[in-house]
């Protein structure tokens, strides 16, 4: 098989990049190692910056007709105190809310529209395995598919295959690990009509819980100290139920829906960033280039922003068969600064808020800066802008 660009990974970065390149006249193959997108992803928040991209593509009205929830305020409860900490009603974007939609619906929507383009090719059940090189340049890859091994020659290989990227490992791209004090237990509990409407962050001594509305159930992310899952599991399901009920008393007996540890998935949190995102013929974007903390739920949106920038900068060189390393490095120069800014914020919150909370066994009080946000409608616009739009938002070229 021969193409202009082959993308490993059909997540938000890979699917958006494939769609935009094909739309710009570039022949693209996207490889997705699973047979469908119906899996529990870490993030379901689609931010105003991503919705602006959908609007620029002329797809927003159709996209908004898909089932979703819209979040205009974010609240946090610490101990017995509660405060609103972000107000999205004033963000400088077309949609002034966070959209809550399962990531598989977002990917299905992108894939359906991309497939309408003759030069877009999506291969499911295809896992990238080995990079092909000639004279020090990556010239393609091999993938394992349900029909056997597939060899694809391409002017550009893009690694959009997540934080455990095969492409970046094969290319020998080195990362800096910034560490994380927590892991996440991922589980679901049914949602009732009278439940609180906000995306609640609930914090108490040694425990933190984020609850994401997904239609008729809550996707729950319980933060635990890094490496402590065995100890948590050793205390048994009853202790887990008590933790959830202690943080969200209104759940009541619904915590009993979690009957065994097979309903609880451990997500290991990593924050890292590649020193170099590219070598001749190969580029990494999204989590493959920079794994993000779950703080702010910004990972999917940064991945989309990477894809938009990469498509705008690389479509011309790919069409004209003039792609060189300098063109790939321009993508890193464009996107590295916003990634650094967000990761710095995440690391600061990890060190100054999350790590002390998880290490504490005393009753907690609301920090002063969150009290200030709770009392000032004007100040609540700042975190909403930073999360919802961010620094250097990208636009479709």
């Amino acid at each position: 098989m021969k193409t202009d660009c082959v993308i490993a990974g059909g997540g938000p970065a890979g699917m958006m990049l494939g769609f935009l390149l094909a739309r710009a006249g570039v022949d693209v193959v996207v490889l997705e190692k699973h047979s469908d997108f119906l899996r529990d992803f870490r993030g379901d928040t689609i931010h105003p910056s991503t919705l602006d991209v959908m609007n620029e593509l002329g797809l927003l009205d159709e996209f908004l007709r898909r089932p979703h929830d819209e979040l205009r305020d974010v609240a946090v409860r610490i101990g017995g105190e509660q405060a609103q900490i972000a107000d999205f009603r004033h963000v400088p974007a077309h949609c002034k809310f966070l959209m809550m939609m399962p990531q598989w619906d977002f990917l299905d929507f992108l894939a359906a529209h991309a497939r309408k383009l003759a030069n877009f090719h999506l291969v499911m059940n295809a896992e990238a395995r080995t990079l092909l090189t000639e004279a020090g340049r990556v010239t393609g890859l091999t993938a394992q598919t349900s029909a056997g091994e597939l060899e694809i020659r391409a002017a550009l290989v893009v690694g959009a295959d997540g934080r455990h990227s095969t492409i970046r490992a094969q290319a020998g791209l080195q990362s800096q690990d910034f560490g994380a004090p927590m892991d996440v237990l991922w589980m679901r509990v049914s949602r009732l009509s009278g439940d609180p409407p906000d995306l609640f962050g609930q914090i108490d001594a040694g425990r933190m819980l984020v609850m994401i509305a997904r239609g008729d159930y809550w996707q729950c992310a319980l933060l635990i100290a890094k490496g402590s899952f065995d100890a948590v599991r050793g205390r048994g399901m009853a202790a887990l139920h008590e933790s959830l009920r202690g943080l969200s008393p209104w759940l009541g007996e619904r915590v009993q829906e979690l009957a065994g540890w097979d309903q609880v998935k451990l997500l290991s949190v990593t924050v890292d960033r590649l020193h170099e995102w590219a070598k001749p013929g190969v580029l990494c974007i999204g989590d493959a280039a920079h794994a993000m903390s779950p703080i702010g739920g910004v990972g999917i949106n940064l991945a989309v922003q990477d894809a938009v920038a990469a498509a705008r900068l690389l479509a011309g060189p790919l069409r004209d068969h003039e792609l060189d390393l300098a063109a790939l490095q321009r993508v890193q120069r464009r996107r590295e600064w916003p990634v650094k800014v967000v990761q710095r914020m995440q690391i600061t919150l990890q060190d100054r808020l999350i790590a002390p909370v998880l290490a504490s066994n005393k009753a907690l009080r609301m920090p002063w800066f969150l009290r200030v946000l709770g009392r000032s409608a004007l100040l609540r616009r700042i975190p909403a802008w930073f999360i919802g739009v961010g620094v250097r938002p990208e636009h479709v070229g």
Side-chain angles (χ1 to χ4, degrees):
M1 201 171 182
K2 191 173 182 179
T3 186
D4 295 326
C5 176
V6 58
I7 301 169
M15 197 61 67
M16 180 61 79
L17 178 59
F19 177 37
L20 293 176
L21 286 178
R23 183 173 172 268
V26 176
D27 195 73
V28 182
V29 175
V30 177
L31 305 176
E32 168 52 46
K33 68 179 180 180
H34 297 94
S35 59
D36 56 40
F37 299 115
L38 195 61
R39 299 181 302 288
D40 250 346
F41 294 91
R42 296 164 188 251
D44 294 327
T45 55
I46 300 176
H47 293 207
S49 59
T50 298
L51 295 173
D52 273 353
V53 171
M54 302 302 283
N55 187 48
E56 291 164 2
L57 291 170
L59 301 176
L60 181 61
D61 289 343
E62 181 185 351
F63 188 52
L64 291 176
R65 287 196 291 271
R66 291 218 164 187
H68 68 278
D69 291 294
E70 296 176 5
L71 192 69
R72 289 169 172 79
D73 297 287
V74 174
V76 64
R77 181 184 292 124
I78 299 180
E81 300 178 78
Q82 181 173 319
Q84 300 292 125
I85 61 171
D87 178 0
F88 291 88
R89 293 176 180 85
H90 305 279
V91 294
H94 188 82
C95 295
K96 300 180 185 303
F97 53 80
L98 286 181
M99 173 188 272
M100 310 303 297
M101 174 188 282
Q103 194 175 128
W104 58 77
D105 282 344
F106 178 52
L107 296 176
D108 273 336
F109 182 87
L110 282 180
H113 281 276
R115 284 188 174 108
K116 297 175 183 178
L117 302 171
N119 50 349
F120 177 89
H121 316 280
L122 176 60
V123 185
M124 306 298 286
N125 284 314
E127 184 174 4
R129 291 288 179 86
T130 307
L131 290 179
L132 304 173
T133 60
E134 293 179 12
R137 178 186 178 86
V138 172
T139 57
L141 56 72
T142 64
Q144 189 61 42
T145 76
S146 53
E149 187 175 89
L150 173 65
E151 180 178 298
I152 303 176
R153 296 285 176 171
L156 174 63
V157 174
V158 176
D161 48 344
R163 62 191 60 209
H164 304 297
S165 170
T166 297
I167 298 302
R168 81 174 185 182
Q170 284 275 312
L173 296 169
Q174 301 299 312
S175 65
Q176 181 179 359
D177 189 344
F178 299 101
M182 74 283 198
D183 289 323
V184 175
L185 300 185
W186 195 243
M187 65 203 91
R188 62 174 67 177
V189 178
S190 61
R191 181 184 176 211
L192 303 180
S193 58
D195 287 349
D198 298 317
L199 178 67
F200 266 81
Q202 293 159 110
I203 302 172
D204 210 338
R207 301 174 297 182
M208 301 184 72
L209 178 68
V210 175
M211 301 182 68
I212 302 169
R214 271 190 182 176
D216 61 355
Y217 67 91
W218 290 102
Q219 186 67 61
C220 301
L222 179 66
L223 276 64
I224 61 173
K226 191 74 175 175
S228 67
F229 179 56
D230 288 343
V232 171
R233 187 166 52 183
R235 291 193 286 270
M237 289 299 297
L240 178 65
H241 294 161
E242 190 55 38
S243 287
L244 295 174
R245 200 159 27 215
L247 289 163
S248 299
W250 47 271
L251 284 174
E253 294 307 308
R254 277 179 279 170
V255 297
Q256 302 291 335
E257 296 167 6
L258 297 166
W261 291 102
D262 59 330
Q263 295 171 269
V264 180
K265 183 178 180 182
L266 173 66
L267 302 178
S268 181
V269 175
T270 301
V271 182
D272 68 19
R273 186 173 64 247
L274 292 179
H275 297 293
E276 295 180 339
W277 298 17
K279 287 187 175 181
V282 62
L283 169 71
C284 286
I285 61 172
D287 275 4
H290 47 78
M292 310 300 292
S293 167
I295 295 170
V298 296
I300 176 177
N301 299 283
L302 281 170
V304 168
Q305 298 289 301
D306 284 0
V308 174
R312 189 178 64 249
L313 293 169
L314 301 180
L318 281 166
R319 276 196 314 265
D320 299 337
H321 307 291
E322 295 177 350
L323 186 74
D324 58 13
L325 180 59
L328 303 180
Q329 290 171 334
R330 281 195 287 273
V331 177
Q332 178 176 352
R333 285 199 301 273
R334 174 73 189 176
R335 295 302 307 153
E336 190 171 37
W337 179 69
V339 169
K340 284 181 175 180
V341 171
V342 174
Q343 287 186 329
R344 174 45 53 196
M345 178 274 292
Q346 292 181 329
I347 293 165
T348 299
L349 288 176
Q350 284 182 172
D351 293 344
R352 297 187 181 180
L353 178 63
I354 294 176
V357 165
L358 294 179
S360 173
N361 56 11
K362 298 178 181 179
L364 300 178
R365 297 186 63 195
M366 184 78 68
W368 67 267
F369 62 92
L370 293 183
R371 278 205 186 95
V372 171
L373 283 177
R375 293 168 184 164
S376 173
L378 188 61
L379 289 179
R380 287 198 293 274
R381 299 181 187 184
I382 298 173
W385 166 81
F386 189 83
I387 292 170
V389 178
V391 295
R392 192 178 283 169
E394 303 292 345
H395 298 281
V396 177

